[in-house]
Amino acid sequence: MIKLLKKYLLKPYWLFVIAILVFTAAQVGGQLTLPNITSNVINVGIMQRGVEGDAQNNPTVKSAVAKAMTSHTKATNSKQMNYILKEGGLMLGVTLLMAVGAIFAGLFCSKATAALARDLREKVFTKVEHFSLREFDKFSTASLIVRSTNDVQQVQQMTFMLFRLGLLAPMMVIVALIMAINKGGELALIFAVIIPLLLLVMGVAIVFVMPLFRSVQEKTDRLNTVAREGLTGVRVIRAFNRQGFQQNRFKTANDTLTDTFMTAMGRVVLMFPIVMFIVSIAQVAAVWFGGHMISAATLNIGNMMAFIQYMMQVLMMLMMFAMILIMYPRAAVSAERILEVLNTEPVILDPNTATKEKAEKELAIAPVSLEFKDVAFSYEGGEEDAVEGVTFKAGTGTTTAIIGSTGSGKSTILNLAERLYDVTEGQILVNGIDVKDHTQYDLHDRIGYIPQKAVLFSGSIADNIRYGKPDATDEEVIEALKTAQAEDFIEELDEGIEAYVAQGGTNFSGGQKQRLAIARALVKKPEIFLFDDSFSALDLQTDANLRAALKPLLKGSLAVIVAQRISTIMDADQIIVLDEGKVVGLGTHKELLASNNVYQEIAKSQLSEEELANA
Amino acid sequence: MVGSGEKAADFMGTLKRLLKILSKNYITLIIIALFTVAAVACSISGPKIMEKAINKIQEYVQMQTTFYPMAKQVNTQLNDAEKQLSAQEQQAAAAKPQLDAALKVLEAQQAQINQLPEPQRSAAQAQLDAKMAPLKTKEAGLKELAAARVKMDETNKQLDIVKNGKTDAERIAALRKLAAAIPSSSTGGVAANQAAQIKGAPDAQMLLFAKALALESSPKMDFNYIGMICLGLVVLYLGYALFSGFQQRMTVRITQELVRLLRRQVSEKLDRLPLKFFDGQTHGEILSKLTIDIDLMSTNLQNVMSQSMTSVLMFVGIIIMMFTVNWLLALISCIIVPLALLMTAVIAPRAQRYFGRQQAQLGELNGQIEEDYGGHNIIKAFNREQISIDRFKGTNEIVYDSAWKAQFLASVLYPVIIFAVNLQYVFIVVLGAVFTRPTAYFLGINVGGLTVGALFAFIAYLQQFQQPMQQMAQIANLIQSSMAAAERVFILLDEGEEAPDPVESPVIESPQGAVQVADINFDYDPAVPLIRDWNMMTEPGKMVAIVGPTGAGKTTIVNLLMRFYEVNSGTITVDGVDTSVMKRADVRKMFGMVLQDTWLYSGTIRENIAYGKDDATEEEIVRAADTALADHFIRTLPHGYDTEIQEDAGNLSSGQRQLLTIARAFLADAPILILDEATSSVDTRTEQLIQAAMERLMHGRTSFVIAHRLSTIRNADQILVMNHGRIVESGNHDQLLAADGFYAELYNSQFAGDEDA
């Protein structure tokens, strides 16, 4: 937390921080002057000890006698009155100063912490945008989202608290303590008893309550799990007539949670009365011992009053500080999580300038091709390679298909070709150049990728299509949609290509989303198409039409198609059969059908005997 | 400090309903109320009592510095006067016999002189008179001395009353009389001078002076009295701690019991709701009512209940106490309170508005983050990083703008309240200081004579006053958001329930599994008719395949057979018994179900297999697992049958989960099956296992199979072909091919197996 604040707050916003310090100090000064002035007003204005000069400890009995008894000695009277009014004016000024101090401290604090949050969000977001899928796997998408949103929020709130109360409280405590000792002398010994006592109470609370709240969190999670299971499994539960069982599970979870929470809260709520009791007792003690000191003429009454007020401020600020301390660990964890992201360097980097320039030169004349040379890849922490020994070459104008069961590594091959991951062994060449020697921008520019899960972004349909080519004209967009067989359903929409796409594209069906995702890649006119099972949600007719429309576009480029349906890939120039990450067959449909066991098995379950025979 | 600003649509209705539930524990509520009153009473009477101790100290200080020295002088002077008088009296008494004798001699001489003739007589008379004159003067002096004695006695009598008088009033009156009695021109000196000053002093000071006069030696602080007060305060604050502690604990209890009850009610309610309810909204929406909303109530209500009454009582109580201390200061304070409230009223809504805006914009920003992270590979693939970052920066800047404004306005609120409170403080201290003077006039009323203790009490009340003022503003927000949450929960509790099961219903003893569907009409939405005049008859042990593209509505058939939804018209009979007149549980008992969505609960594998049968033995469980071809993989797990199934099943593959659901269905041993064939989400080998296990399961049972595999469809005795939610065709494979309809089209365009991918 401190590291993070140092780097992202103190450095860029040091002026703000100084302003906050200054204004907070003004606030503290004001807050602590008030009791002092009060004590003067009481001592001088009320108790009438020597108006002239600093008369706090110089009681001139004779004049006091006179003054105490005079309500009509005009001269002295107006002198007192003036003094009170003068001090009153001073207090008013101090009060105003405090308010101004607090408001400006609040202003700079709000600005600084909001700026911190903004900067952190931006830095994290920018960082994450440059992450490869490796880093995404490492952190998980959900965790990255939490780090960019909640964690930043946590840090912002904590920083605000730290700057408002965290600065204020210690300053107040220290200054008020000094003032209290100054005013009260020996009376300050009360602190020696009260502060340890308060610390003890807080310590006890931390020891006896905090673990309970951790337990409450676990039990809340448990209740949520059971509740969620009840919802997701509603059909199964009813089908098996297990409502009663589910109710019992819920009841147990509910009871343990409620009971634990009750115990925890039952202890927490005692804190406040106990602390208030201790603080009140401190006040009583101040009066009792103060009385003795006054009797012994080592203290005057105004100072006793000032001491009590300073003491209250010390104790209250201590409580505030304790609250911050309790909240601090949570924010510190958030800060750590943010730093973790910021300190992670993506493993996939662009080549150095020399390599880049050399590659660019060669690429300018190279024909379109994609080649895998004995490629192996394993995921972070994966015991086995996700794919291994993958070797194939695809040239201009060809279509390569990849088929295999789920988990056989088909999508992995596409991700590797795009360099969303780096191979662990072997080499991948695009247009004859190693993908590692391309800049990522250039590589991605050459590739049109259509994902298995059609991810759309909020915006209009046209916005989504222009993802492929930001400067595409309406005609180009419509052309791409036509090829992708998306024209029909878009024509039905009132706003046409300007129709709104909700976040995640939830207002479109799976098939529609897939066609939009295809159009998005088409508009790009890439050299290499990567279709990752992109036809799965299409009905067969659309699938066939689409493939027919694609054919002319593939001239001069090449396509890799991952599919589950044999019908989709029968016409491919080469078919790669994957099983558990290994290439178990490579050839045309006919060749594979004749010789490859795995392919035959897949074909058997999908094709009619007739078709099998015809092949 | 400032809440989210959401509000309940029917605030009063929700509040009433919540109170009604709470009022069942009215005894606890009453005790809580009593304890609250007690705690508040203890808390606010503290300063008032402390006032007495401080006044005692003040009194001592005044006594020590002012009255005692003065009284000492007065006493000394009076003593001196007494001594002087006594000395004179003594002198006079000593001289008296001589004087009397001399007078007697002179009187005798007078008698003699009276008999003397003139002119001798005149001369003698003159001689005698000359002798007589000093004696007469001496006699008059004696008389004067006697008068002085009377006066002195009177003074002493008054002084005695001043010193030892029974009532304060008596003593004050005596002191005033005494002061009045001393003429300013008298030779009394200092006493007379002071007497003149004392004349105008208020009673409180007169009393102190009277006390000072009574003192034999220099004044002592009355530690007995102060000690008693301090002890009393300790008891009082202990009382506060106890009452407040108990009140809070009981509040915890009552609110948590309410929360427990609500959770249970919602959970039970969900059991009685039709499937339609669950299909109509996301799990997240329902779950948030059960968890987030109720949790919110759990924490908010605790604060609301323990603080609302306390702060209102404190608010009123402190105002009353202020008036008892000093009505004028209290009145002045009451003028400043609305000022603070006014400023709050001006600032708070603005802050709230900015918070609302910030929340909305932050939501948008978070949406952008979620979207972009979720589509990270697309963003990379399409080189959109920079565009995406630029867009993010734009939104981020907007969030920053409203974030600091919201935060700032919220942070202004506190200084403003503090400013108002401090303003009050200043006024009170200044005016208080003025009022502590013996006399101070306000509209012609003497408001002087305020004690330091009273001023202290007043300042203490001012400080106490901050708490309820801040709390009340906070509680208003808490109540709002609690009511909004409560309302959502109540709306859920008011959802329409499934029609209750009939009390008496037919039970099929040993069902064979002959299912007949007659004239079924059904639709989810009356505007979109789905199933019309569906008729179907299947004999025990036969297989019905349901085919069609994704979204064709195959689950509708499951919904109707299992009575998850009720048909509009028509009947479904099993072994000739209409299922709609049976208890739902009895209907469902006849069906075994294995769905694609392999739902398992977080328990052990053993518990999950036994899910289908209440009292399954270990042997039965293992046999079911074995028959479902799951025994082998279960035994390869580190904990075998005791393996805990984790949520989202990180530890099992989806194929393995599927096998477990099959084992579960085996154990349930229902005569009719509903199966959802595995699709491509399972690897080839496991898929074969699942297929084999399903075939075993189907053996001898009537089965409805949502089919993806060609072989299954071909082997089916009947095929229901579905499209767009409707049953478009039915018959066996050959019949359907011959009909050359949708099925034929589907089949001819190479019926493929991954619609559900």
Side-chain angles (χ1 to χ4, degrees):
Chain A
M1 180 92 188
I2 289 159
K3 238 200 260 166
L4 181 112
L5 290 184
K6 230 186 206 164
K7 193 165 170 193
Y8 297 103
L9 185 70
L10 297 188
K11 257 191 196 160
Y13 299 110
W14 60 273
L15 254 175
F16 278 9
V17 174
I18 288 176
I20 295 167
L21 276 171
V22 169
F23 286 111
T24 308
Q27 203 189 340
V28 171
Q31 191 74 49
L32 295 174
T33 320
L34 282 186
N36 196 21
I37 303 177
T38 312
S39 115
N40 286 345
V41 170
I42 291 174
N43 280 343
V44 181
I46 301 176
M47 301 310 289
Q48 332 259 324
R49 294 182 166 189
V51 179
E52 300 86 5
D54 177 19
Q56 270 184 38
N57 297 310
N58 178 25
T60 46
V61 178
K62 205 174 167 207
S63 70
V65 170
K67 276 163 212 148
M69 306 311 286
T70 36
S71 58
H72 47 247
T73 320
K74 291 269 170 4
T76 348
N77 194 23
S78 72
K79 228 179 199 174
Q80 281 166 238
M81 206 45 198
N82 282 344
Y83 183 80
I84 291 173
L85 288 181
K86 198 185 91 202
E87 294 292 296
L90 189 64
M91 281 171 99
L92 217 55
V94 168
T95 305
L96 209 60
L97 176 80
M98 274 168 64
V100 170
I103 287 172
F104 275 96
L107 172 69
F108 287 112
C109 206
S110 306
K111 278 210 147 196
T113 52
L116 170 74
R118 176 195 60 192
D119 294 354
L120 283 180
R121 264 196 301 265
E122 187 184 311
K123 290 212 161 69
V124 171
F125 187 83
T126 309
K127 191 87 191 185
V128 171
E129 283 298 284
H130 291 110
F131 274 176
S132 73
L133 289 188
R134 274 271 191 218
E135 286 82 43
F136 263 73
D137 291 346
K138 186 181 146 202
F139 288 111
S140 94
T141 309
S143 158
L144 283 175
I145 292 172
V146 171
R147 285 165 205 243
S148 318
T149 55
N150 273 4
D151 284 345
V152 172
Q153 203 76 351
Q154 280 284 342
V155 169
Q156 182 187 357
Q157 272 163 16
M158 186 68 220
T159 313
F160 188 82
M161 293 246 318
L162 265 182
F163 272 73
R164 291 301 289 122
L165 295 175
L167 280 182
L168 193 68
M171 275 199 225
M172 288 278 270
V173 167
I174 292 168
V175 182
L177 207 56
I178 293 170
M179 297 290 274
I181 292 169
N182 179 31
K183 288 279 166 187
E186 284 168 42
L187 210 47
L189 284 174
I190 294 175
F191 285 119
V193 180
I194 295 298
I195 291 179
L197 204 58
L198 278 179
L199 291 180
L200 183 76
V201 170
M202 285 179 225
V204 166
I206 287 168
V207 171
F208 287 98
V209 178
M210 286 296 146
L212 272 178
F213 273 103
R214 219 165 294 132
S215 163
V216 164
Q217 195 48 51
E218 278 164 26
K219 277 157 186 158
T220 308
D221 290 346
R222 169 72 189 161
L223 183 84
N224 290 356
T225 303
V226 174
R228 189 161 48 242
E229 279 176 356
L231 290 173
T232 54
V234 63
R235 278 188 164 74
V236 179
I237 291 166
R238 293 190 184 190
F240 284 92
N241 291 318
R242 300 299 294 214
Q243 286 101 321
F245 179 68
Q246 178 67 19
Q247 276 315 329
N248 274 337
R249 291 180 72 215
F250 187 84
K251 188 177 179 298
T252 314
N254 187 11
D255 285 346
T256 44
L257 171 62
T258 313
D259 293 342
T260 316
F261 193 71
M262 255 194 230
T263 318
M265 277 309 281
R267 288 180 192 175
V268 166
V269 295
L270 292 185
M271 274 284 288
F272 189 72
I274 291 175
V275 166
M276 283 312 286
F277 178 69
I278 294 174
V279 170
S280 305
I281 291 308
Q283 240 185 64
V284 174
V287 169
W288 173 251
F289 293 112
H292 277 89
M293 285 175 71
I294 290 171
S295 168
T298 50
L299 186 73
N300 64 46
I301 193 162
N303 286 356
M304 183 183 84
M305 301 273 286
F307 174 82
I308 291 176
Q309 289 184 44
Y310 284 126
M311 184 177 73
M312 297 305 277
Q313 279 175 346
V314 169
L315 298 182
M316 286 302 150
M317 282 296 144
L318 270 182
M319 306 304 301
M320 291 239 196
F321 199 62
M323 252 170 53
I324 294 178
L325 283 186
I326 289 169
M327 288 170 69
Y328 182 80
R330 239 179 96 198
V333 170
S334 288
E336 259 165 52
R337 285 154 52 93
I338 293 169
L339 276 179
E340 206 182 342
V341 174
L342 291 177
N343 292 337
T344 301
E345 286 307 320
V347 289
I348 294 182
L349 297 169
D350 278 339
N352 59 40
T353 326
T355 322
K356 198 176 82 187
E357 279 168 5
K358 187 168 160 259
E360 268 167 10
K361 231 174 259 169
E362 287 174 39
L363 278 168
I365 48 162
V368 176
S369 72
L370 172 67
E371 186 176 2
F372 272 57
K373 279 185 178 167
D374 201 22
V375 167
F377 171 76
S378 67
Y379 286 99
E380 193 85 25
E383 282 172 26
E384 284 175 27
D385 285 346
V387 292
E388 60 174 293
V390 176
T391 303
F392 70 90
K393 183 172 178 172
T396 316
T398 64
T399 303
T400 304
I402 304 174
I403 197 162
S405 59
T406 308
S408 59
K410 295 170 302 205
S411 300
T412 308
I413 289 180
L414 298 192
N415 285 335
L416 289 173
E418 269 215 276
R419 213 187 161 209
L420 293 180
Y421 293 103
D422 268 339
V423 296
T424 34
E425 271 172 55
Q427 201 183 18
I428 298 170
L429 308 173
V430 165
N431 297 4
I433 307 290
D434 192 321
V435 289
K436 289 179 184 174
D437 294 341
H438 289 259
T439 62
Q440 290 176 72
Y441 188 90
D442 172 70
L443 183 68
H444 295 151
D445 206 30
R446 291 170 194 277
I447 296 174
Y449 171 66
I450 302 100
Q452 184 174 16
K453 201 173 147 248
V455 180
L456 297 181
F457 296 87
S458 47
S460 69
I461 288 179
D463 287 343
N464 268 282
I465 304 305
R466 288 204 178 95
Y467 240 68
K469 190 182 176 196
D471 55 352
T473 61
D474 279 2
E475 286 71 34
E476 283 177 291
V477 169
I478 290 166
E479 183 61 36
L481 287 167
K482 235 182 231 171
T483 316
Q485 309 295 311
E487 219 195 353
D488 314 350
F489 76 83
I490 288 171
E491 271 173 4
E492 282 173 28
L493 301 170
D494 291 337
E495 288 119 329
I497 60 168
E498 295 305 324
Y500 184 72
V501 180
Q503 194 185 331
T506 44
N507 52 343
F508 289 93
S509 78
Q512 291 172 335
K513 277 195 284 184
Q514 260 183 357
R515 279 174 276 172
L516 292 177
I518 292 168
R520 177 171 64 189
L522 288 177
V523 80
K524 201 173 165 183
K525 299 207 171 68
E527 293 173 355
I528 298 172
F529 282 100
L530 300 177
F531 292 97
D532 190 356
D533 203 4
S534 321
F535 309 109
S536 59
L538 305 183
D539 63 68
L540 294 157
Q541 195 55 49
T542 315
D543 183 350
N545 292 347
L546 178 59
R547 271 181 292 126
L550 278 175
K551 240 178 204 151
L553 288 178
L554 292 180
K555 271 178 203 154
S557 58
L558 67 85
V560 180
I561 300 176
V562 163
Q564 307 260 6
R565 286 182 200 157
I566 284 196
S567 59
T568 311
I569 59 158
M570 270 188 330
D571 304 331
D573 299 299
Q574 58 178 346
I575 297 170
I576 299 165
V577 186
L578 276 185
D579 191 31
E580 298 192 333
K582 293 189 192 74
V583 178
V584 294
L586 178 66
T588 62
H589 176 62
K590 270 187 195 172
E591 289 164 6
L592 289 169
L593 207 53
S595 62
N596 191 286
N597 281 341
V598 179
Y599 194 75
Q600 282 167 355
E601 211 176 291
I602 299 169
K604 239 184 247 167
S605 75
Q606 290 189 12
L607 300 181
S608 63
E609 276 157 41
E610 211 177 331
E611 283 161 320
L612 290 170
N614 284 348
Chain B
M1 208 182 294
V2 179
S4 59
E6 53 167 356
K7 291 187 171 99
D10 178 13
F11 182 85
M12 283 319 286
T14 312
L15 184 66
K16 266 185 204 155
R17 191 159 165 187
L18 206 59
L19 287 178
K20 206 175 150 197
I21 301 174
L22 278 172
S23 67
K24 279 180 194 141
N25 281 322
Y26 67 95
I27 294 177
T28 318
L29 282 178
I30 289 171
I31 296 174
I32 289 177
L34 289 177
F35 276 25
T36 309
V37 171
V40 169
C42 287
S43 171
I44 60 175
S45 51
K48 184 84 181 152
I49 292 172
M50 183 78 93
E51 176 191 346
K52 291 193 194 310
I54 292 177
N55 279 345
K56 208 66 186 178
I57 296 174
Q58 184 197 14
E59 196 181 297
Y60 162 80
V61 173
Q62 287 187 335
M63 201 71 119
Q64 174 79 25
T65 58
T66 309
F67 294 105
Y68 181 64
M70 219 163 81
K72 220 157 93 180
Q73 282 179 326
V74 170
N75 273 333
T76 315
Q77 279 187 13
L78 286 175
N79 267 341
D80 289 351
E82 170 69 37
K83 256 184 219 154
Q84 213 183 335
L85 188 62
S86 299
Q88 283 173 353
E89 275 173 344
Q90 244 165 37
Q91 226 177 354
K96 192 136 198 274
Q98 211 183 340
L99 181 66
D100 284 348
L103 274 175
K104 227 174 232 168
V105 172
L106 286 182
E107 270 161 21
Q109 281 179 357
Q110 180 72 44
Q112 283 172 355
I113 284 172
N114 285 344
Q115 287 161 12
L116 284 179
E118 290 289 342
Q120 274 166 315
R121 203 177 64 145
S122 292
Q125 189 68 37
Q127 237 175 10
L128 185 66
D129 280 351
K131 275 181 193 164
M132 196 71 151
L135 291 183
K136 280 283 177 208
T137 315
K138 269 186 186 165
E139 202 176 19
L142 278 182
K143 260 180 203 153
E144 246 175 64
L145 210 56
R149 167 52 59 196
V150 171
K151 238 184 183 177
M152 183 57 86
D153 283 348
E154 176 59 22
T155 304
N156 278 337
K157 204 179 114 200
Q158 291 300 334
L159 196 62
D160 188 53
I161 297 173
V162 167
K163 285 179 177 171
N164 306 314
K166 284 200 183 82
T167 66
D168 290 347
E170 202 182 347
R171 294 173 78 177
I172 292 165
L175 189 56
R176 284 197 196 284
K177 220 185 261 173
L178 206 56
I182 301 172
S184 51
S185 57
S186 136
T187 50
V190 183
N193 189 16
Q194 284 170 352
Q197 291 170 5
I198 219 171
K199 273 175 193 161
D203 286 357
Q205 307 232 326
M206 293 298 272
L207 183 60
L208 278 184
F209 193 34
K211 283 181 183 169
L213 285 172
L215 283 177
E216 299 285 326
S217 57
S218 78
K220 296 257 174 330
M221 205 180 277
D222 189 351
F223 281 114
N224 279 340
Y225 181 82
I226 295 174
M228 283 301 287
I229 295 282
C230 286
L231 203 65
L233 279 171
V234 171
V235 172
L236 197 69
Y237 289 131
L238 193 66
Y240 161 76
L242 287 177
F243 285 127
S244 164
F246 273 114
Q247 177 252 3
Q248 298 250 34
R249 285 197 78 129
M250 285 170 88
T251 313
V252 168
R253 188 153 290 275
I254 202 166
T255 50
Q256 285 310 306
E257 288 302 344
L258 172 77
V259 164
R260 191 203 302 261
L261 179 76
L262 281 180
R263 280 208 201 96
R264 205 178 61 222
Q265 280 183 349
V266 170
S267 173
E268 283 168 1
K269 175 76 188 183
L270 288 176
D271 253 356
R272 294 190 302 268
L273 287 174
L275 254 288
K276 195 177 181 171
F277 174 80
F278 298 92
D279 292 343
Q281 50 192 313
T282 64
H283 295 149
E285 285 171 324
I286 306 170
L287 202 60
S288 85
K289 286 172 193 152
L290 188 52
T291 55
I292 298 170
D293 282 340
I294 295 183
D295 281 348
L296 191 76
M297 289 168 70
S298 152
T299 41
N300 282 3
L301 281 182
Q302 168 70 33
N303 289 332
V304 169
M305 287 208 29
S306 65
Q307 288 176 10
S308 57
M309 203 163 132
T310 310
S311 49
V312 171
L313 280 176
M314 289 276 276
F315 190 82
V316 176
I318 291 172
I319 289 181
I320 291 172
M321 293 307 273
M322 281 177 169
F323 273 97
T324 65
V325 175
N326 187 292
W327 62 271
L328 190 55
L329 291 183
L331 216 58
I332 291 161
S333 303
C334 285
I335 295 167
I336 293 174
V337 169
L339 197 72
L341 291 180
L342 188 75
M343 287 201 258
T344 314
V346 171
I347 297 169
R350 274 160 225 273
Q352 194 131 355
R353 203 156 60 228
Y354 273 106
F355 263 106
R357 204 177 293 172
Q358 181 207 0
Q359 225 45 44
Q361 286 161 353
L362 202 58
E364 198 187 317
L365 190 75
N366 291 352
Q368 241 173 62
I369 291 174
E370 269 174 52
E371 184 169 87
D372 285 0
Y373 288 4
H376 185 65
N377 54 347
I378 301 296
I379 286 178
K380 288 224 97 134
F382 286 88
N383 284 327
R384 295 283 295 205
E385 292 101 323
Q386 202 48 53
I387 296 172
S388 169
I389 289 169
D390 290 342
R391 200 180 108 187
F392 179 83
K393 276 185 185 167
T395 319
N396 198 14
E397 200 61 42
I398 295 170
V399 170
Y400 161 74
D401 198 54
S402 48
W404 80 256
K405 281 178 187 156
Q407 188 76 272
F408 172 57
L409 279 174
S411 77
V412 162
L413 203 57
Y414 185 69
V416 163
I417 291 179
I418 295 294
F419 178 69
V421 171
N422 278 335
L423 210 61
Q424 220 172 354
Y425 176 84
V426 171
F427 271 96
I428 296 311
V429 170
V430 170
L431 291 173
V434 174
F435 294 167
T436 45
R437 287 163 51 227
T439 48
Y441 287 93
F442 176 78
L443 297 176
I445 307 161
N446 186 1
V447 291
L450 185 75
T451 60
V452 176
L455 190 59
F456 167 83
F458 211 89
I459 292 172
Y461 283 129
L462 276 186
Q463 280 166 349
Q464 273 193 352
F465 208 49
Q466 283 182 46
Q467 197 194 337
M469 259 171 60
Q470 280 171 8
Q471 271 183 357
M472 286 198 294
Q474 207 180 355
I475 283 167
N477 270 327
L478 287 184
I479 291 179
Q480 291 276 11
S481 63
S482 313
M483 286 307 134
E487 189 177 45
R488 284 193 290 270
V489 173
F490 287 147
I491 286 173
L492 176 73
L493 287 178
D494 290 341
E495 288 283 343
E497 299 181 5
E498 278 184 329
D501 279 325
V503 184
E504 282 192 26
S505 61
V507 178
I508 305 169
E509 280 305 329
S510 48
Q512 300 301 304
V515 179
Q516 185 171 13
V517 177
D519 304 322
I520 291 288
N521 286 310
F522 173 76
D523 38 60
Y524 293 105
D525 174 1
V528 187
L530 275 188
I531 296 192
R532 287 287 169 270
D533 301 323
W534 175 31
N535 284 287
M536 186 192 73
M537 164 82 205
T538 173
E539 284 158 30
K542 299 287 189 193
M543 173 165 71
V544 179
I546 305 162
V547 297
T550 306
K554 287 168 287 192
T555 46
T556 306
I557 304 298
V558 182
N559 286 339
L560 295 182
L561 289 174
M562 301 281 279
R563 268 190 75 194
F564 288 147
Y565 282 75
E566 302 290 344
V567 296
N568 293 6
S569 66
T571 54
I572 297 173
T573 59
V574 173
D575 296 346
V577 181
D578 185 352
T579 55
S580 66
V581 298
M582 294 171 69
K583 288 199 171 72
R584 286 184 185 80
D586 290 333
V587 176
R588 289 168 191 163
K589 213 177 272 171
M590 298 187 295
F591 286 88
M593 193 173 78
V594 180
L595 295 183
Q596 273 279 304
D597 160 33
T598 53
W599 183 85
L600 298 168
Y601 77 96
S602 47
T604 63
I605 286 185
R606 177 182 293 106
E607 286 165 347
N608 266 286
I609 294 176
Y611 203 69
K613 199 178 172 197
D614 280 330
D615 46 0
T617 63
E618 179 71 17
E619 197 189 341
E620 283 176 311
I621 291 167
V622 175
R623 195 176 335 120
D626 193 41
T627 325
L629 301 169
D631 183 61
H632 174 71
F633 93 79
I634 294 170
R635 288 185 193 281
T636 61
L637 295 172
H639 301 287
Y641 281 88
D642 291 319
T643 306
E644 282 282 340
I645 294 188
Q646 289 159 14
E647 212 196 349
D648 302 326
N651 51 349
L652 291 181
S653 79
S654 59
Q656 289 169 332
R657 291 169 69 87
Q658 188 96 58
L659 289 178
L660 289 182
T661 62
I662 296 173
R664 182 171 70 188
F666 257 119
L667 197 60
D669 195 25
I672 309 169
L673 283 178
I674 291 175
L675 296 178
D676 196 353
E677 262 188 342
T679 56
S680 54
S681 66
V682 183
D683 65 83
T684 326
R685 241 167 262 159
T686 317
E687 190 184 341
Q688 283 164 355
L689 272 183
I690 294 169
Q691 194 59 31
M694 280 194 176
E695 270 159 28
R696 284 185 180 194
L697 186 59
M698 284 191 279
H699 186 76
R701 294 183 169 93
T702 309
S703 47
F704 292 84
V705 183
I706 297 172
H708 306 284
R709 299 171 73 92
L710 205 60
S711 56
T712 317
I713 299 169
R714 284 223 189 95
N715 293 335
D717 299 292
Q718 260 190 80
I719 302 170
L720 294 178
V721 186
M722 302 201 67
N723 196 20
H724 298 306
R726 304 189 185 98
I727 300 167
V728 290
E729 284 174 302
S730 64
N732 65 30
H733 179 66
D734 294 333
Q735 288 167 342
L736 287 170
L737 272 189
D740 199 23
F742 184 70
Y743 179 79
E745 195 187 320
L746 208 64
Y747 182 79
N748 286 332
S749 60
Q750 302 131 8
F751 187 78
D754 60 347
E755 300 98 319
D756 285 324

